[in-house]
Amino acid sequence: MTSPHHHAGGSPARKLSPNQSKILGCLREAGEPMSAYAILDRVRKSGIAHPPTVYRALNDLMKRGMVHRLESRSAFIACGHGECDGRFAFAICRACDKVIEIPLGEKEQARLLGLAPAEISPETVTLEIAGLCESCGLAQASPA
Amino acid sequence: MTSPHHHAGGSPARKLSPNQSKILGCLREAGEPMSAYAILDRVRKSGIAHPPTVYRALNDLMKRGMVHRLESRSAFIACGHGECDGRFAFAICRACDKVIEIPLGEKEQARLLGLAPAEISPETVTLEIAGLCESCGLAQASPA
DNA sequence: GCCGAGCGCGTTATGTTATATCATTGATCA
DNA sequence: TGATCAATGATATAACATAACGCGCTCGGC
């Protein structure tokens, strides 16, 4: 048995590997979406040196629901709820990249999956809403 | 026959350039999503030789609503309705890449945009539903 | 006709995102 | 002790996308 290593809280299953912890920490610190290569730059000093290392960790973290991928931006972000196994949507400011995670209730999920035609039995949904956040909206309405 | 009749200025519905026509034709023939480089391979015989040519045409066609991009696959597909300026969703078979375009009614659109929190005023929605199509579902249930 | 502006497009080069593959390490167990 | 497997390290390359420059055509003014 190994000693508990890190991350108090809720994880019922396996623990994170050191690399996974580093990368999750990096994303949580940032609080905003980062590309895999941006993550790589930030964790180089921690000894992570190659893209596959980052992608492996990200894929594992995504399986656990602790990191999500923003498809419309090819970027990754820490789950705002620590961990979630459900479905969620994102609202993304197209100007400043701010991201807000939107948890989807059961009903909402069902409704979204129900949009799929009979020919395709739906499994996962990717929903990203782009727009302008308040400050960027103001900045644009009255430029310098 | 191409009629090279282009003109800068007010006309709201300009016609397609030769390259745009070729690439739209290619996508329509395919009837399924293609990567930009797959398109490039297919139109090389028509004289298109470089990625930027393809991306330029794709971007124009997307602005016109005649081509959509599948974010979750980095692929492009001809609009199933010829042209649409509205919102739409996609159902995608994760096994065979079959794509079905789902037109979203006004109500559905409004509901989706309404999911955005107050902080972000929503503009566009990206909704992609992945799952298994009938034949792939069967194939998986009873493998050869 | 001549000229310059605008535009579509060709071309080169490079940037960015992601993965296939093999090597190394370290734990487990007959 | 040595076989074996899982995880990670490292190399290389594949796949996706765009920046930047330049050419040639058509259009409009003169």
Side-chain angles (χ1 to χ4, degrees):
Chain A
M1 299 316 151
T2 43
S3 56
H5 201 242
H6 142 283
H7 186 69
S11 209
R14 300 145 301 171
K15 34 197 317 268
L16 296 179
S17 78
N19 281 349
Q20 289 164 1
S21 297
K22 284 174 199 162
I23 280 165
L24 179 57
C26 172
L27 274 173
R28 296 231 248 235
E29 253 183 61
E32 55 176 33
M34 300 179 74
S35 78
Y37 280 76
I39 294 168
L40 178 55
D41 285 344
R42 291 264 255 108
V43 297
R44 249 185 238 285
K45 52 187 70 107
S46 328
I48 294 176
H50 308 287
T53 306
V54 174
Y55 281 101
R56 274 198 284 244
L58 286 173
N59 285 332
D60 290 341
L61 290 167
M62 282 192 291
K63 276 190 203 129
R64 294 163 182 264
M66 304 174 87
V67 163
H68 308 310
R69 182 193 161 95
L70 300 178
E71 300 289 351
S72 64
R73 311 209 142 220
S74 296
F76 303 86
I77 189 166
C79 176
H81 312 103
E83 180 170 355
C84 58
D85 59 348
R87 329 269 193 187
F88 38 79
F90 294 100
I92 309 172
C93 175
R94 65 172 157 81
C96 72
D97 278 14
K98 180 166 151 181
V99 171
I100 295 171
E101 191 172 341
I102 307 166
L104 296 178
E106 290 291 337
K107 264 192 215 158
E108 215 46 83
Q109 290 174 39
R111 178 146 56 216
L112 291 172
L113 292 174
L115 290 174
E119 288 137 289
I120 293 195
S121 91
E123 293 169 348
T124 65
V125 59
T126 299
L127 175 54
E128 301 180 12
I129 299 167
L132 272 187
C133 74
E134 274 182 75
S135 40
C136 291
L138 290 175
Q140 194 157 283
S142 55
Chain B
M1 56 161 65
T2 50
S3 354
H5 172 231
H6 55 275
H7 178 74
S11 214
R14 293 150 306 172
K15 21 193 332 237
L16 296 180
S17 78
N19 281 348
Q20 288 164 2
S21 298
K22 284 175 199 161
I23 280 164
L24 179 58
C26 172
L27 274 173
R28 296 230 248 235
E29 254 184 62
E32 54 176 31
M34 300 180 74
S35 78
Y37 280 76
I39 294 170
L40 178 55
D41 285 345
R42 290 264 253 109
V43 295
R44 247 184 239 284
K45 50 187 71 107
S46 328
I48 294 177
H50 308 285
T53 306
V54 175
Y55 281 102
R56 273 195 285 243
L58 286 172
N59 286 331
D60 289 341
L61 291 166
M62 283 193 290
K63 276 190 203 128
R64 294 162 182 264
M66 304 175 87
V67 163
H68 308 309
R69 181 191 161 93
L70 301 177
E71 299 289 351
S72 64
R73 312 211 141 219
S74 296
F76 303 85
I77 189 166
C79 176
H81 313 102
E83 180 169 355
C84 58
D85 60 348
R87 331 270 192 186
F88 39 81
F90 294 101
I92 308 171
C93 174
R94 63 171 158 81
C96 72
D97 278 14
K98 180 165 151 183
V99 170
I100 295 171
E101 190 171 342
I102 308 166
L104 298 178
E106 290 291 336
K107 262 191 216 159
E108 214 46 83
Q109 291 175 40
R111 177 147 55 218
L112 291 173
L113 292 174
L115 290 172
E119 287 136 289
I120 293 194
S121 91
E123 292 169 350
T124 65
V125 60
T126 299
L127 175 54
E128 299 180 15
I129 299 167
L132 271 188
C133 74
E134 275 183 73
S135 39
C136 291
L138 291 175
Q140 193 157 283
S142 54

